[in-house]
Amino acid sequence: MNLTATQIEDIVRVVVERLRSGVAAPVVQAPQPKIAEPTVGEVHLSERVITLESLKDKLSGAKSIVVHPKAVVTPAVKDTLRQQGIRLVRQLPGIASSSVRPAPLLLLASESHHSMLSKRVCSKQATSVLAGELPSAVSVIDQHLTDGKLGAVWCSPTPFACVAATYSNSRLRAVQLSDLQDLPRAIEQAQPNVLIIDCQRWSPPSIANLVSNWYRSLR
């Protein structure tokens, strides 16, 4: 809207008269954004490792437990929530649901297997990288776990040496799997963050299946 000089002068005169008379000019306030109220029965936990201790005195009236998408939830917690009919929800505060989230797992493979496995394993489940030498591979795993990955699958023709190489890093909980059926027991008994497998005994489809099953257990 274009105002004439006369109209502008009239507006200024009215404002000045109000200021002189002690009556403040009306202030136009911008609408305040609405703050979403917490959902009834929804309990948010900020810990990165959710144990039974994390749930202490928090389940009364709870309908769902909301945790960070990268939080490690112990099997005992999952069983407790399942028994009480409480949903486990993973949520990333402040990030739009349409945004691309990084894959929670890391897949390490030698150069001879990397290309084949990277085509078979879902990129939303695992990020594929070249394994390299033993010390270098351990450093890669440690860095990715520090950056938020939940676990790593290390495919190697020397699995026993890989297990031994992880001993020097106290943050790595590595187990060697000989069969996919061992995965549930390995998770329950050791809660590993590194699964080491013999790439000479595991076929690419079975490795992809292992990644998929571990990914589903983390959700």
Side-chain angles (χ1 to χ4, degrees), residues 9-178:
E9 185 177 350
D10 290 338
I11 293 173
V12 172
R13 178 176 53 78
V14 170
V15 172
V16 171
E17 289 177 353
R18 289 189 177 184
L19 290 175
R20 286 178 176 176
S21 63
V23 179
V27 177
V28 179
Q29 295 183 344
Q32 297 298 317
K34 294 183 178 179
I35 300 176
E37 296 182 357
T39 303
V40 176
E42 193 174 84
V43 178
H44 290 256
L45 300 178
S46 59
E47 296 95 324
R48 286 303 182 96
V49 179
I50 309 300
T51 63
L52 289 177
E53 183 66 22
S54 306
L55 302 181
K56 189 175 181 180
D57 301 327
K58 296 178 180 177
L59 296 185
S60 178
K63 296 181 180 179
S64 61
I65 299 294
V66 183
V67 302
H68 193 278
K70 297 175 183 177
V72 176
V73 182
T74 65
V77 168
K78 292 182 179 180
D79 289 341
T80 299
L81 297 180
R82 190 180 304 112
Q83 292 169 3
Q84 298 192 27
I86 300 174
R87 293 193 312 131
L88 176 64
V89 181
R90 294 184 181 272
Q91 180 178 342
L92 186 57
I95 301 297
S97 58
S98 60
S99 62
V100 178
R101 298 179 181 178
L105 297 176
L106 178 69
L107 175 64
L108 291 89
S110 61
E111 189 171 357
S112 59
H113 289 79
H114 177 261
S115 177
M116 185 184 305
L117 289 175
S118 61
K119 294 177 182 178
R120 287 185 172 272
V121 174
C122 177
S123 60
K124 293 182 180 180
Q125 298 177 355
T127 301
S128 302
V129 298
L130 289 172
E133 300 296 328
L134 290 181
S136 173
V138 170
S139 297
V140 168
I141 294 174
D142 180 70
Q143 182 59 52
H144 277 72
L145 293 179
T146 301
D147 291 343
K149 296 291 184 185
L150 295 183
V153 177
W154 190 356
C155 310
S156 172
T158 58
F160 299 106
C162 293
V163 173
T166 64
Y167 291 163
S168 60
N169 191 316
S170 60
R171 289 188 293 273
L172 303 186
R173 301 185 303 277
V175 298
Q176 182 182 348
L177 289 184
S178 58

